[in-house]
Amino acid sequence: MSAQSGLAGAVYDRGYRPYVGPRGGRQEATIALWRLSVRRALGLRRSWRQKVLPWSLLAIATVPAVVNVGVAFALKDNPLDFRDFEFITYREYVGVSTTLLLFVALVAPDVMCPDRAQRVLPLIFSRPLTGPDYVLAKVAAITTIVFGFGFLPQVVLYVGQMFVSRDGALNYLTDHAGPLWQVPVSVLILAVYYAAIGVALSSLTDRRIVGGVAILGLFLITSTVASIFEAAADFHGTPLAVLNLLSLPLAVRDLVFLGRLSHDQGLSGVDGGGAVAVAGYLLVVLGAIALLLRRYREVDL
Amino acid sequence: MRAAGLGLTYAGGHITALSDFTVDIPAGSVGLVGANGAGKTTLFRLMLGLLRPTAGHIQVAGRDVATDPVGVRSRLGYMPEHDCLPLDQSASDVVSTFGELAGLPTRAARQRASDVLDLVGLDEARFRPIGGFSTGMRQRTKLAQALVADPALVLLDEPTAGLDPMGREEMLELVGRLAGFGISVILATHLLDDVQRVCEHVVMIDRGRLVRAGPIEALLQTIGVMRVEVGGRDDAVAVLAQALAAKGLASTAVDAHHLDVDTSRHGDEAFDSVRDAVADAGLRLYALSTQHRSLDDVFIQEAYR
């Protein structure tokens, strides 16, 4: 037997090697759980089927921005004055992010339900993590993705508009400084809202389909009920419009962009409608977080 | 692990899960034995800080669980009895995930996952989804995730449950090696034979109460049965039984020439007592032998005493 073949057949028992490197605590564990949840929601390290939905939705959410910039570019040298063509405003585009609700209805249960259904929670909570850490990581993961998917198309729109602007990029930037803070703030408001509700409802069931239906059903039912109250008030505005959980974060968005509610909001005709909207928003988000903290206060092994 | 007066009650004190549990478990491999529902998993939950005791206190790895549950968990590994693995992920991803959740940096967690999967014999299958694994492979994956962060102590809840004889042998062999790696083990099981094979110490628990705890060798010394074969008279067995009873030794007749003598708590002195009793009664002693002792005998004797 040659030395070559002898080496090829060698087997080494490496045994057990103790770990002597850095070891994090709660913070590192929470960040790890956040990262793993984001990865799962985006379908990374999963089959192509799991990747189709999130990336298709991001593409669809970007279409209005691309169309707007494309048309503006095409009309740039048109003799007619289509000054800074804009078929969708930044404020309205935040509203388009509502389509991400569908994404949340699919992704939040996928991030939450298997932990309970497959009884992975005991393993997670045998690590240096607490219930609040788990809730924070999961809500932050969904918030991050919804924010990213709501904000990236806005970036495409803004940068695109800047470069096709007839007045020049620098002038566009100085003339449109408001959206630079209004867009991220309002998209974040929507992202936190959807994430808190989506994760809270998903935590109540082991089954993903039930979680998804519950999320969509809640928004559908509350918006329908609120519409009935608004119609009963002859569309002059009623405080009961606060029950419309679908339009509630958009009312807060209006306050960020306009400093007041837009006329299409059910609360717009109500005295102190803006304050009612903010109070309703906070109540919903904090209620969802409280539900989650209670749900993960104690975990069975 | 050190517990003092540990107690846990539910439903306003009507249901007792653990009662006045005081024990000092040394480092090394320890068996926690008891019937189903005896309180083994409850004790694990208390050790992990996932339940608060209603009485007493508990220390694990030198830390007080009540004041520093997260610190305790950072040095523990836990392998549950039930299925607990995400079936749509590969063993490699799952084990490295739990390494990261234990605070290991991502790259270190992946390296450790590779190492421990190799150790438990899943080097070939580590990139396959767990959904396609056999029960034995899933148990090995569960053990690997418990070891990935190099814990000081690993809690194993019924690690041989559902395994075929070969799988059970391999799992016990793995568990038996852990103490040699510097990892203390608490093996919860209702199979005393498993404990006797791989552990140095045992803690016996029954209906939430501590039955017995100590080194296995020492416990085995505390019980015993001696088989005595006598003759010389037709009623030799009855005469000897009476003589032994006078010396405080209980015995049971097996047949006309054999009787079993309970030597528990008498040790080697029982041999002398039997010899003297046979001589005093004028009987003939044909044979005298110690019967096989096991933890089952200890548990049955202590739990149902």
Side-chain angles (χ1 to χ4, degrees), chain A residues 236-265:
Chain A
H236 293 308
T238 166
L240 292 174
V242 76
L243 296 176
N244 189 339
L245 297 185
L246 197 59
S247 67
L248 193 56
L250 299 179
V252 181
R253 170 209 62 181
D254 287 350
L255 296 175
V256 172
F257 272 95
L258 308 171
R260 58 172 173 78
L261 296 175
S262 67
H263 297 298
D264 55 352
Q265 289 292 338

mmCIF file of all heavy atoms in Angstrom, chain A residues 236-265:
data_model
loop_
_atom_site.group_PDB
_atom_site.id
_atom_site.type_symbol
_atom_site.label_atom_id
_atom_site.label_comp_id
_atom_site.label_asym_id
_atom_site.label_seq_id
_atom_site.Cartn_x
_atom_site.Cartn_y
_atom_site.Cartn_z
ATOM 1 N N HIS A 236 -70.023 62.999 8.453
ATOM 2 C CA HIS A 236 -69.574 64.255 9.052
ATOM 3 C C HIS A 236 -68.470 63.999 10.080
ATOM 4 O O HIS A 236 -68.004 64.920 10.727
ATOM 5 C CB HIS A 236 -70.749 64.982 9.742
ATOM 6 C CG HIS A 236 -71.777 65.465 8.760
ATOM 7 N ND1 HIS A 236 -71.459 66.231 7.665
ATOM 8 C CD2 HIS A 236 -73.125 65.279 8.695
ATOM 9 C CE1 HIS A 236 -72.545 66.501 6.974
ATOM 10 N NE2 HIS A 236 -73.588 65.916 7.570
ATOM 11 N N GLY A 237 -68.150 62.744 10.230
ATOM 12 C CA GLY A 237 -67.098 62.385 11.187
ATOM 13 C C GLY A 237 -67.701 61.895 12.490
ATOM 14 O O GLY A 237 -68.692 62.454 12.976
ATOM 15 N N THR A 238 -67.126 60.837 13.004
ATOM 16 C CA THR A 238 -67.561 60.292 14.290
ATOM 17 C C THR A 238 -66.335 59.726 15.012
ATOM 18 O O THR A 238 -65.452 59.148 14.365
ATOM 19 C CB THR A 238 -68.615 59.186 14.093
ATOM 20 O OG1 THR A 238 -68.749 58.471 15.328
ATOM 21 C CG2 THR A 238 -68.223 58.192 13.011
ATOM 22 N N PRO A 239 -66.297 59.884 16.343
ATOM 23 C CA PRO A 239 -65.147 59.327 17.083
ATOM 24 C C PRO A 239 -65.048 57.818 16.923
ATOM 25 O O PRO A 239 -63.968 57.247 17.098
ATOM 26 C CB PRO A 239 -65.453 59.700 18.543
ATOM 27 C CG PRO A 239 -66.448 60.795 18.478
ATOM 28 C CD PRO A 239 -67.231 60.611 17.229
ATOM 29 N N LEU A 240 -66.175 57.184 16.567
ATOM 30 C CA LEU A 240 -66.146 55.724 16.410
ATOM 31 C C LEU A 240 -65.308 55.287 15.203
ATOM 32 O O LEU A 240 -65.001 54.103 15.052
ATOM 33 C CB LEU A 240 -67.572 55.187 16.278
ATOM 34 C CG LEU A 240 -68.425 55.305 17.555
ATOM 35 C CD1 LEU A 240 -69.866 54.887 17.282
ATOM 36 C CD2 LEU A 240 -67.825 54.435 18.661
ATOM 37 N N ALA A 241 -64.944 56.263 14.364
ATOM 38 C CA ALA A 241 -64.066 55.933 13.225
ATOM 39 C C ALA A 241 -62.710 55.432 13.709
ATOM 40 O O ALA A 241 -61.959 54.824 12.945
ATOM 41 C CB ALA A 241 -63.880 57.172 12.337
ATOM 42 N N VAL A 242 -62.424 55.669 14.996
ATOM 43 C CA VAL A 242 -61.157 55.186 15.559
ATOM 44 C C VAL A 242 -61.115 53.658 15.555
ATOM 45 O O VAL A 242 -60.047 53.046 15.645
ATOM 46 C CB VAL A 242 -60.957 55.759 16.991
ATOM 47 C CG1 VAL A 242 -61.833 55.023 18.000
ATOM 48 C CG2 VAL A 242 -59.490 55.680 17.408
ATOM 49 N N LEU A 243 -62.298 53.047 15.453
ATOM 50 C CA LEU A 243 -62.356 51.584 15.419
ATOM 51 C C LEU A 243 -61.808 51.020 14.112
ATOM 52 O O LEU A 243 -61.572 49.815 14.012
ATOM 53 C CB LEU A 243 -63.805 51.106 15.615
ATOM 54 C CG LEU A 243 -64.430 51.431 16.978
ATOM 55 C CD1 LEU A 243 -65.899 51.000 17.008
ATOM 56 C CD2 LEU A 243 -63.661 50.730 18.092
ATOM 57 N N ASN A 244 -61.656 51.873 13.119
ATOM 58 C CA ASN A 244 -61.121 51.412 11.832
ATOM 59 C C ASN A 244 -59.603 51.200 11.958
ATOM 60 O O ASN A 244 -58.809 52.116 11.763
ATOM 61 C CB ASN A 244 -61.429 52.456 10.757
ATOM 62 C CG ASN A 244 -61.099 51.926 9.366
ATOM 63 O OD1 ASN A 244 -60.309 50.979 9.225
ATOM 64 N ND2 ASN A 244 -61.711 52.529 8.364
ATOM 65 N N LEU A 245 -59.233 49.992 12.304
ATOM 66 C CA LEU A 245 -57.817 49.716 12.544
ATOM 67 C C LEU A 245 -56.981 49.795 11.267
ATOM 68 O O LEU A 245 -55.759 49.923 11.332
ATOM 69 C CB LEU A 245 -57.656 48.327 13.184
ATOM 70 C CG LEU A 245 -58.304 48.134 14.559
ATOM 71 C CD1 LEU A 245 -57.956 46.767 15.127
ATOM 72 C CD2 LEU A 245 -57.868 49.224 15.533
ATOM 73 N N LEU A 246 -57.653 49.721 10.118
ATOM 74 C CA LEU A 246 -56.926 49.806 8.850
ATOM 75 C C LEU A 246 -56.461 51.234 8.577
ATOM 76 O O LEU A 246 -55.338 51.464 8.122
ATOM 77 C CB LEU A 246 -57.832 49.313 7.713
ATOM 78 C CG LEU A 246 -57.160 48.951 6.398
ATOM 79 C CD1 LEU A 246 -56.132 47.851 6.590
ATOM 80 C CD2 LEU A 246 -58.204 48.509 5.379
ATOM 81 N N SER A 247 -57.344 52.214 8.876
ATOM 82 C CA SER A 247 -56.998 53.601 8.545
ATOM 83 C C SER A 247 -56.360 54.346 9.728
ATOM 84 O O SER A 247 -55.859 55.454 9.563
ATOM 85 C CB SER A 247 -58.236 54.365 8.061
ATOM 86 O OG SER A 247 -59.137 54.512 9.129
ATOM 87 N N LEU A 248 -56.377 53.708 10.916
ATOM 88 C CA LEU A 248 -55.843 54.395 12.104
ATOM 89 C C LEU A 248 -54.377 54.826 11.935
ATOM 90 O O LEU A 248 -54.044 55.993 12.184
ATOM 91 C CB LEU A 248 -55.996 53.475 13.328
ATOM 92 C CG LEU A 248 -55.785 54.096 14.695
ATOM 93 C CD1 LEU A 248 -56.716 55.286 14.919
ATOM 94 C CD2 LEU A 248 -56.003 53.060 15.791
ATOM 95 N N PRO A 249 -53.494 53.953 11.482
ATOM 96 C CA PRO A 249 -52.096 54.408 11.330
ATOM 97 C C PRO A 249 -51.944 55.427 10.207
ATOM 98 O O PRO A 249 -51.023 56.247 10.231
ATOM 99 C CB PRO A 249 -51.343 53.110 11.010
ATOM 100 C CG PRO A 249 -52.351 52.198 10.442
ATOM 101 C CD PRO A 249 -53.650 52.535 11.117
ATOM 102 N N LEU A 250 -52.866 55.395 9.220
ATOM 103 C CA LEU A 250 -52.795 56.380 8.137
ATOM 104 C C LEU A 250 -53.204 57.758 8.642
ATOM 105 O O LEU A 250 -52.734 58.786 8.140
ATOM 106 C CB LEU A 250 -53.689 55.944 6.970
ATOM 107 C CG LEU A 250 -53.301 54.597 6.340
ATOM 108 C CD1 LEU A 250 -54.264 54.235 5.207
ATOM 109 C CD2 LEU A 250 -51.871 54.622 5.828
ATOM 110 N N ALA A 251 -54.082 57.774 9.648
ATOM 111 C CA ALA A 251 -54.449 59.054 10.259
ATOM 112 C C ALA A 251 -53.233 59.643 10.974
ATOM 113 O O ALA A 251 -52.974 60.851 10.887
ATOM 114 C CB ALA A 251 -55.598 58.847 11.253
ATOM 115 N N VAL A 252 -52.465 58.787 11.648
ATOM 116 C CA VAL A 252 -51.243 59.263 12.324
ATOM 117 C C VAL A 252 -50.227 59.711 11.278
ATOM 118 O O VAL A 252 -49.524 60.708 11.456
ATOM 119 C CB VAL A 252 -50.654 58.156 13.230
ATOM 120 C CG1 VAL A 252 -49.415 58.662 13.954
ATOM 121 C CG2 VAL A 252 -51.689 57.695 14.252
ATOM 122 N N ARG A 253 -50.183 58.992 10.156
ATOM 123 C CA ARG A 253 -49.304 59.404 9.050
ATOM 124 C C ARG A 253 -49.661 60.810 8.572
ATOM 125 O O ARG A 253 -48.784 61.648 8.324
ATOM 126 C CB ARG A 253 -49.460 58.420 7.893
ATOM 127 C CG ARG A 253 -48.801 58.866 6.602
ATOM 128 C CD ARG A 253 -49.507 58.318 5.381
ATOM 129 N NE ARG A 253 -50.897 58.801 5.292
ATOM 130 C CZ ARG A 253 -51.733 58.445 4.316
ATOM 131 N NH1 ARG A 253 -51.346 57.607 3.392
ATOM 132 N NH2 ARG A 253 -52.972 58.917 4.285
ATOM 133 N N ASP A 254 -50.971 61.099 8.457
ATOM 134 C CA ASP A 254 -51.405 62.428 8.021
ATOM 135 C C ASP A 254 -50.890 63.500 8.964
ATOM 136 O O ASP A 254 -50.489 64.587 8.535
ATOM 137 C CB ASP A 254 -52.939 62.490 7.966
ATOM 138 C CG ASP A 254 -53.485 61.719 6.785
ATOM 139 O OD1 ASP A 254 -52.676 61.308 5.927
ATOM 140 O OD2 ASP A 254 -54.710 61.510 6.725
ATOM 141 N N LEU A 255 -50.908 63.177 10.259
ATOM 142 C CA LEU A 255 -50.422 64.156 11.236
ATOM 143 C C LEU A 255 -48.937 64.432 11.023
ATOM 144 O O LEU A 255 -48.474 65.561 11.192
ATOM 145 C CB LEU A 255 -50.654 63.639 12.665
ATOM 146 C CG LEU A 255 -52.122 63.462 13.075
ATOM 147 C CD1 LEU A 255 -52.220 62.831 14.454
ATOM 148 C CD2 LEU A 255 -52.860 64.801 13.051
ATOM 149 N N VAL A 256 -48.203 63.402 10.617
ATOM 150 C CA VAL A 256 -46.759 63.565 10.374
ATOM 151 C C VAL A 256 -46.540 64.419 9.127
ATOM 152 O O VAL A 256 -45.716 65.346 9.125
ATOM 153 C CB VAL A 256 -46.070 62.197 10.212
ATOM 154 C CG1 VAL A 256 -44.617 62.363 9.763
ATOM 155 C CG2 VAL A 256 -46.135 61.405 11.516
ATOM 156 N N PHE A 257 -47.301 64.163 8.060
ATOM 157 C CA PHE A 257 -47.077 64.863 6.788
ATOM 158 C C PHE A 257 -47.753 66.234 6.749
ATOM 159 O O PHE A 257 -47.186 67.204 6.250
ATOM 160 C CB PHE A 257 -47.614 64.009 5.638
ATOM 161 C CG PHE A 257 -46.598 63.041 5.098
ATOM 162 C CD1 PHE A 257 -46.563 61.738 5.564
ATOM 163 C CD2 PHE A 257 -45.682 63.422 4.127
ATOM 164 C CE1 PHE A 257 -45.633 60.832 5.078
ATOM 165 C CE2 PHE A 257 -44.752 62.523 3.637
ATOM 166 C CZ PHE A 257 -44.720 61.228 4.118
ATOM 167 N N LEU A 258 -48.997 66.290 7.237
ATOM 168 C CA LEU A 258 -49.802 67.491 7.058
ATOM 169 C C LEU A 258 -49.981 68.303 8.343
ATOM 170 O O LEU A 258 -50.407 69.461 8.289
ATOM 171 C CB LEU A 258 -51.199 67.110 6.530
ATOM 172 C CG LEU A 258 -51.228 66.203 5.285
ATOM 173 C CD1 LEU A 258 -52.649 65.736 5.006
ATOM 174 C CD2 LEU A 258 -50.666 66.950 4.072
ATOM 175 N N GLY A 259 -49.744 67.656 9.479
ATOM 176 C CA GLY A 259 -50.007 68.328 10.754
ATOM 177 C C GLY A 259 -51.483 68.300 11.098
ATOM 178 O O GLY A 259 -51.922 68.882 12.102
ATOM 179 N N ARG A 260 -52.312 67.667 10.266
ATOM 180 C CA ARG A 260 -53.761 67.538 10.495
ATOM 181 C C ARG A 260 -54.224 66.282 9.777
ATOM 182 O O ARG A 260 -53.456 65.677 9.021
ATOM 183 C CB ARG A 260 -54.508 68.749 9.938
ATOM 184 C CG ARG A 260 -54.257 68.926 8.452
ATOM 185 C CD ARG A 260 -55.128 69.997 7.817
ATOM 186 N NE ARG A 260 -54.703 70.210 6.434
ATOM 187 C CZ ARG A 260 -54.993 69.426 5.415
ATOM 188 N NH1 ARG A 260 -55.727 68.339 5.600
ATOM 189 N NH2 ARG A 260 -54.565 69.692 4.193
ATOM 190 N N LEU A 261 -55.473 65.925 10.034
ATOM 191 C CA LEU A 261 -56.018 64.753 9.353
ATOM 192 C C LEU A 261 -56.472 65.143 7.949
ATOM 193 O O LEU A 261 -56.986 66.245 7.738
ATOM 194 C CB LEU A 261 -57.208 64.184 10.139
ATOM 195 C CG LEU A 261 -56.888 63.641 11.537
ATOM 196 C CD1 LEU A 261 -58.172 63.218 12.247
ATOM 197 C CD2 LEU A 261 -55.931 62.469 11.455
ATOM 198 N N SER A 262 -56.283 64.272 6.980
ATOM 199 C CA SER A 262 -56.782 64.561 5.632
ATOM 200 C C SER A 262 -58.303 64.351 5.615
ATOM 201 O O SER A 262 -58.852 63.680 6.499
ATOM 202 C CB SER A 262 -56.099 63.648 4.613
ATOM 203 O OG SER A 262 -56.491 62.312 4.831
ATOM 204 N N HIS A 263 -58.950 64.907 4.598
ATOM 205 C CA HIS A 263 -60.417 64.902 4.589
ATOM 206 C C HIS A 263 -61.016 63.512 4.401
ATOM 207 O O HIS A 263 -62.184 63.290 4.721
ATOM 208 C CB HIS A 263 -60.923 65.855 3.503
ATOM 209 C CG HIS A 263 -60.526 67.281 3.771
ATOM 210 N ND1 HIS A 263 -60.949 67.962 4.898
ATOM 211 C CD2 HIS A 263 -59.713 68.143 3.102
ATOM 212 C CE1 HIS A 263 -60.429 69.172 4.912
ATOM 213 N NE2 HIS A 263 -59.663 69.314 3.823
ATOM 214 N N ASP A 264 -60.218 62.596 3.859
ATOM 215 C CA ASP A 264 -60.770 61.258 3.646
ATOM 216 C C ASP A 264 -60.717 60.392 4.898
ATOM 217 O O ASP A 264 -61.134 59.239 4.894
ATOM 218 C CB ASP A 264 -60.047 60.547 2.486
ATOM 219 C CG ASP A 264 -58.543 60.484 2.698
ATOM 220 O OD1 ASP A 264 -58.056 61.122 3.663
ATOM 221 O OD2 ASP A 264 -57.862 59.801 1.920
ATOM 222 N N GLN A 265 -60.214 60.955 5.993
ATOM 223 C CA GLN A 265 -60.181 60.199 7.259
ATOM 224 C C GLN A 265 -61.512 60.327 7.997
ATOM 225 O O GLN A 265 -62.078 61.422 8.080
ATOM 226 C CB GLN A 265 -59.050 60.715 8.171
ATOM 227 C CG GLN A 265 -57.657 60.373 7.698
ATOM 228 C CD GLN A 265 -57.345 58.883 7.779
ATOM 229 O OE1 GLN A 265 -57.972 58.158 8.538
ATOM 230 N NE2 GLN A 265 -56.411 58.433 6.970
#
